Amino acid sequence: MTLTTRLLNKAARIILIGAPGVGKGTQTERLLSRFPELASISSGDLLRENVRKKSPLGLKAETAMQAGNLVPDSLILELISSEFKSKGWLSTSPDSSISSNASFILDGFPRTAAQASSLETLVPINFVVQLVTPPAIILSRIASRWIHEPSGRVYNIDFNAPQVPGKDDVTGEPLTQREDDSIETWKQRLHKFEETSRALLEHYERKGCLWRVEGNTSDEISPQLFAEIERRFC
Ligand code: AMP
């Protein structure tokens, strides 16, 4: 990946929507390097931090998270708006409307159309990226993914194979496949994503800020995404 950076001419308030395994994390990292004014906020990370700290919000969210359910919208909105405020991203103008000059990528939020509507009252999102990789490709990528449990190093036998098959490059210890990497689990996850993302995508389609990008790998997607952000914001 190129290390060239670009400055934004106007605030970019971005959301990436994509199935699990599509590489949202990878694209976010690359965007943060390419556009240094961007910051990212992950609702999952914020929630886990609150759970760890045993904050009142964390205690309320914990049960839902442990059961693999979404936490209630009111909690997540409280969390996001207090994070925006603490970062100084929300300013109140004389007519008391809220505005933001910050540029950011939100990760994991909004997850539902209702959350998207609430977010609009806080800061209107102006670019929504739908990352698309065919499910069959995602599944084959998962099937070839091996990890070194103690360090969290991830290998992929198709494009990032360990030097010695089945062994970690650094320690030489055996690699394993995570139990939750089973294809059946992933098929269910992808199916659930299709169902739950539909209303969210429709919401942003109606608002006219949805843009779709397709690729079989992150490397195919990144250049298209960079170019579109530069076209819109630089
Ligand atoms: P993640 O790391 O994004 O997968 O989030 C971990 C967990 O946090 C999810 O399984 C949910 O329980 C909760 N969570 C994260 N973001 C949201 C959200 N936008 N709305 C509701 N619950 C969320």
Side-chain angles (χ1 to χ4, degrees), residues 128-202:
V128 177
V129 180
Q130 181 186 5
L131 299 169
V132 181
T133 296
I137 304 271
I138 296 182
L139 292 173
S140 79
R141 225 150 61 187
I142 301 302
S144 51
R145 186 154 83 175
W146 290 79
I147 61 165
H148 176 240
E149 289 264 5
S151 68
R153 272 185 287 279
V154 179
Y155 298 87
N156 190 297
I157 49 176
D158 295 330
F159 54 83
N160 177 30
Q163 284 156 16
V164 178
K167 298 278 177 1
D168 177 47
D169 286 353
V170 178
T171 63
E173 289 167 350
L175 302 175
T176 53
Q177 284 196 300
R178 277 206 304 245
E179 235 173 73
D180 65 358
D181 276 358
S182 90
I183 290 304
E184 270 323 301
T185 313
W186 273 87
K187 277 188 183 158
Q188 276 173 24
R189 258 182 222 161
L190 292 177
H191 183 66
K192 196 168 168 199
F193 169 79
E194 289 297 327
E195 269 178 15
T196 53
S197 62
R198 206 170 296 134
L200 190 58
L201 291 167
E202 280 167 12

Side-chain angles (χ1 to χ4, degrees), residues 42-45 47-48 64-65 68-71 73 76 108-111 115:
S42 149
S43 53
D45 286 352
L47 283 167
R48 279 184 287 275
M65 289 175 73
N69 295 325
L70 291 184
V71 308
D73 286 356
I76 200 92
F109 176 84
R111 284 255 221 300
Q115 289 181 1

